Short mmCIF file of all heavy atoms in Angstrom, two decimals:
data_model
loop_
_atom_site.label_atom_id
_atom_site.label_comp_id
_atom_site.label_asym_id
_atom_site.label_seq_id
_atom_site.Cartn_x
_atom_site.Cartn_y
_atom_site.Cartn_z
N ALA A 70 103.97 115.68 86.38
CA ALA A 70 102.82 114.85 86.69
C ALA A 70 102.39 113.97 85.53
O ALA A 70 101.98 112.83 85.72
CB ALA A 70 101.65 115.73 87.14
N ASP A 71 102.49 114.51 84.29
CA ASP A 71 102.03 113.71 83.16
C ASP A 71 102.89 112.47 82.93
O ASP A 71 102.48 111.53 82.26
CB ASP A 71 101.93 114.55 81.89
CG ASP A 71 103.25 115.22 81.53
OD1 ASP A 71 104.24 115.03 82.27
OD2 ASP A 71 103.30 115.94 80.51
N SER A 72 104.10 112.46 83.49
CA SER A 72 104.97 111.29 83.32
C SER A 72 104.64 110.19 84.31
O SER A 72 105.11 109.05 84.15
CB SER A 72 106.44 111.69 83.47
OG SER A 72 106.73 112.05 84.80
N VAL A 73 103.86 110.49 85.35
CA VAL A 73 103.52 109.48 86.36
C VAL A 73 102.03 109.33 86.58
O VAL A 73 101.61 108.55 87.42
CB VAL A 73 104.20 109.83 87.71
CG1 VAL A 73 105.70 109.79 87.59
CG2 VAL A 73 103.72 111.17 88.23
N ALA A 74 101.22 110.06 85.81
CA ALA A 74 99.77 110.07 86.02
C ALA A 74 99.17 108.66 85.99
O ALA A 74 98.31 108.31 86.79
CB ALA A 74 99.09 110.95 84.99
N LYS A 75 99.65 107.81 85.06
CA LYS A 75 99.05 106.47 84.94
C LYS A 75 99.42 105.56 86.10
O LYS A 75 98.84 104.49 86.26
CB LYS A 75 99.47 105.83 83.62
CG LYS A 75 100.95 105.53 83.50
CD LYS A 75 101.23 104.86 82.14
CE LYS A 75 102.71 104.56 81.97
NZ LYS A 75 102.97 103.88 80.66
N TYR A 76 100.38 105.97 86.94
CA TYR A 76 100.79 105.15 88.09
C TYR A 76 100.16 105.63 89.39
O TYR A 76 100.34 105.00 90.43
CB TYR A 76 102.31 105.15 88.23
CG TYR A 76 103.01 104.61 87.00
CD1 TYR A 76 103.66 105.46 86.12
CD2 TYR A 76 103.01 103.25 86.72
CE1 TYR A 76 104.29 104.97 84.98
CE2 TYR A 76 103.64 102.75 85.59
CZ TYR A 76 104.28 103.62 84.73
OH TYR A 76 104.89 103.13 83.62
N VAL A 77 99.48 106.78 89.35
CA VAL A 77 98.84 107.33 90.54
C VAL A 77 97.34 107.29 90.30
O VAL A 77 96.81 108.06 89.50
CB VAL A 77 99.31 108.76 90.83
CG1 VAL A 77 98.66 109.29 92.11
CG2 VAL A 77 100.83 108.81 90.94
N GLY A 78 96.65 106.38 90.98
CA GLY A 78 95.23 106.16 90.71
C GLY A 78 94.39 107.41 90.84
O GLY A 78 94.45 108.14 91.84
N GLY A 79 93.58 107.69 89.83
CA GLY A 79 92.65 108.80 89.86
C GLY A 79 93.27 110.17 89.70
O GLY A 79 92.59 111.18 89.88
N LEU A 80 94.54 110.25 89.34
CA LEU A 80 95.21 111.54 89.22
C LEU A 80 94.75 112.27 87.97
O LEU A 80 94.83 111.76 86.86
CB LEU A 80 96.73 111.35 89.17
CG LEU A 80 97.57 112.62 88.95
CD1 LEU A 80 97.36 113.60 90.09
CD2 LEU A 80 99.04 112.27 88.81
N VAL A 81 94.24 113.49 88.17
CA VAL A 81 93.87 114.37 87.07
C VAL A 81 94.84 115.54 87.10
O VAL A 81 94.95 116.24 88.11
CB VAL A 81 92.43 114.89 87.20
CG1 VAL A 81 92.10 115.84 86.06
CG2 VAL A 81 91.44 113.71 87.23
N CYS A 82 95.57 115.76 86.02
CA CYS A 82 96.63 116.77 86.06
C CYS A 82 96.71 117.57 84.77
O CYS A 82 96.18 117.16 83.73
CB CYS A 82 97.98 116.11 86.34
SG CYS A 82 98.48 114.94 85.05
N ARG A 83 97.38 118.69 84.87
CA ARG A 83 97.68 119.54 83.72
C ARG A 83 99.13 119.31 83.31
O ARG A 83 99.92 118.80 84.10
CB ARG A 83 97.45 121.01 84.08
CG ARG A 83 96.02 121.32 84.52
CD ARG A 83 95.94 122.66 85.20
NE ARG A 83 96.76 122.67 86.42
CZ ARG A 83 96.84 123.69 87.25
NH1 ARG A 83 96.17 124.80 87.00
NH2 ARG A 83 97.60 123.63 88.32
N PRO A 84 99.50 119.71 82.10
CA PRO A 84 100.86 119.46 81.62
C PRO A 84 101.96 120.04 82.51
O PRO A 84 103.05 119.49 82.57
CB PRO A 84 100.86 120.13 80.24
CG PRO A 84 99.43 120.08 79.80
CD PRO A 84 98.63 120.29 81.05
N ASP A 85 101.67 121.17 83.19
CA ASP A 85 102.71 121.80 84.00
C ASP A 85 102.65 121.39 85.47
O ASP A 85 103.38 121.92 86.30
CB ASP A 85 102.63 123.32 83.89
CG ASP A 85 101.28 123.87 84.32
OD1 ASP A 85 100.32 123.08 84.42
OD2 ASP A 85 101.19 125.10 84.56
N ASP A 86 101.77 120.44 85.83
CA ASP A 86 101.69 119.97 87.22
C ASP A 86 102.90 119.11 87.56
O ASP A 86 103.52 118.49 86.69
CB ASP A 86 100.42 119.15 87.44
CG ASP A 86 99.18 120.01 87.52
OD1 ASP A 86 99.31 121.21 87.80
OD2 ASP A 86 98.07 119.47 87.31
N LYS A 87 103.22 119.07 88.87
CA LYS A 87 104.31 118.22 89.35
C LYS A 87 103.82 117.36 90.51
O LYS A 87 102.98 117.76 91.31
CB LYS A 87 105.50 119.06 89.80
CG LYS A 87 106.27 119.69 88.65
CD LYS A 87 107.60 120.25 89.11
CE LYS A 87 108.42 120.75 87.93
NZ LYS A 87 109.76 121.23 88.34
N VAL A 88 104.38 116.15 90.58
CA VAL A 88 104.13 115.26 91.71
C VAL A 88 105.35 115.31 92.61
O VAL A 88 106.49 115.19 92.14
CB VAL A 88 103.87 113.82 91.23
CG1 VAL A 88 103.71 112.89 92.43
CG2 VAL A 88 102.62 113.76 90.36
N CYS A 89 105.12 115.53 93.90
CA CYS A 89 106.21 115.67 94.87
C CYS A 89 106.21 114.49 95.83
O CYS A 89 105.15 114.07 96.29
CB CYS A 89 106.05 116.97 95.65
SG CYS A 89 105.95 118.45 94.62
N PHE A 90 107.40 114.01 96.12
CA PHE A 90 107.58 112.85 97.01
C PHE A 90 108.41 113.27 98.21
O PHE A 90 109.43 113.94 98.06
CB PHE A 90 108.29 111.72 96.28
CG PHE A 90 107.52 111.17 95.12
CD1 PHE A 90 107.51 111.84 93.91
CD2 PHE A 90 106.82 109.99 95.24
CE1 PHE A 90 106.80 111.34 92.83
CE2 PHE A 90 106.11 109.48 94.16
CZ PHE A 90 106.10 110.16 92.95
N TYR A 91 107.99 112.85 99.39
CA TYR A 91 108.72 113.10 100.63
C TYR A 91 109.00 111.76 101.29
O TYR A 91 108.09 110.99 101.58
CB TYR A 91 107.90 113.99 101.57
CG TYR A 91 107.72 115.39 101.05
CD1 TYR A 91 106.73 115.68 100.11
CD2 TYR A 91 108.55 116.42 101.48
CE1 TYR A 91 106.56 116.96 99.61
CE2 TYR A 91 108.40 117.72 100.99
CZ TYR A 91 107.40 117.98 100.06
OH TYR A 91 107.25 119.26 99.56
N LEU A 92 110.27 111.48 101.54
CA LEU A 92 110.69 110.18 102.07
C LEU A 92 111.55 110.40 103.31
O LEU A 92 112.47 111.22 103.30
CB LEU A 92 111.50 109.43 101.01
CG LEU A 92 112.22 108.15 101.43
CD1 LEU A 92 111.22 107.07 101.77
CD2 LEU A 92 113.15 107.69 100.30
N LYS A 93 111.23 109.69 104.38
CA LYS A 93 112.04 109.75 105.60
C LYS A 93 112.31 108.34 106.09
O LYS A 93 111.38 107.54 106.25
CB LYS A 93 111.33 110.56 106.69
CG LYS A 93 112.17 110.71 107.96
CD LYS A 93 111.48 111.62 108.98
CE LYS A 93 112.35 111.79 110.22
NZ LYS A 93 111.70 112.66 111.23
N ILE A 94 113.58 108.04 106.35
CA ILE A 94 113.97 106.70 106.80
C ILE A 94 114.06 106.67 108.32
O ILE A 94 114.82 107.41 108.92
CB ILE A 94 115.34 106.29 106.19
CG1 ILE A 94 115.28 106.34 104.66
CG2 ILE A 94 115.72 104.89 106.67
CD1 ILE A 94 114.23 105.46 104.05
N HIS A 95 113.28 105.78 108.93
CA HIS A 95 113.29 105.65 110.39
C HIS A 95 114.20 104.52 110.86
O HIS A 95 114.82 104.63 111.91
CB HIS A 95 111.86 105.37 110.90
CG HIS A 95 110.98 106.56 110.93
ND1 HIS A 95 110.49 107.11 112.08
CD2 HIS A 95 110.51 107.34 109.92
CE1 HIS A 95 109.74 108.15 111.80
NE2 HIS A 95 109.74 108.32 110.49
N GLN A 96 114.25 103.46 110.09
CA GLN A 96 115.02 102.30 110.53
C GLN A 96 115.48 101.50 109.32
O GLN A 96 114.84 101.51 108.26
CB GLN A 96 114.18 101.41 111.46
CG GLN A 96 114.95 100.29 112.13
CD GLN A 96 116.15 100.80 112.92
OE1 GLN A 96 117.25 100.82 112.40
NE2 GLN A 96 115.92 101.22 114.15
N ILE A 97 116.60 100.83 109.48
CA ILE A 97 117.11 99.93 108.45
C ILE A 97 117.32 98.56 109.10
O ILE A 97 118.03 98.45 110.09
CB ILE A 97 118.45 100.44 107.87
CG1 ILE A 97 118.25 101.80 107.18
CG2 ILE A 97 119.03 99.42 106.89
CD1 ILE A 97 119.55 102.43 106.71
#
């Protein structure tokens, strides 16, 4: 999380926090 905190508005995190992303493609 600390590596992306400045790109996620309002994110307050601890050093061991993680940001998780889920992506699903419906159409191309």
Side-chain angles (χ1 to χ4, degrees):
D71 57 0
S72 69
V73 297
K75 65 179 179 179
Y76 300 105
V77 182
L80 176 62
V81 178
C82 62
R83 300 165 298 183
D85 59 344
D86 285 339
K87 287 193 174 183
V88 176
C89 304
F90 297 79
Y91 293 82
L92 171 68
K93 183 175 182 180
I94 303 301
H95 283 245
Q96 189 56 266
I97 297 174

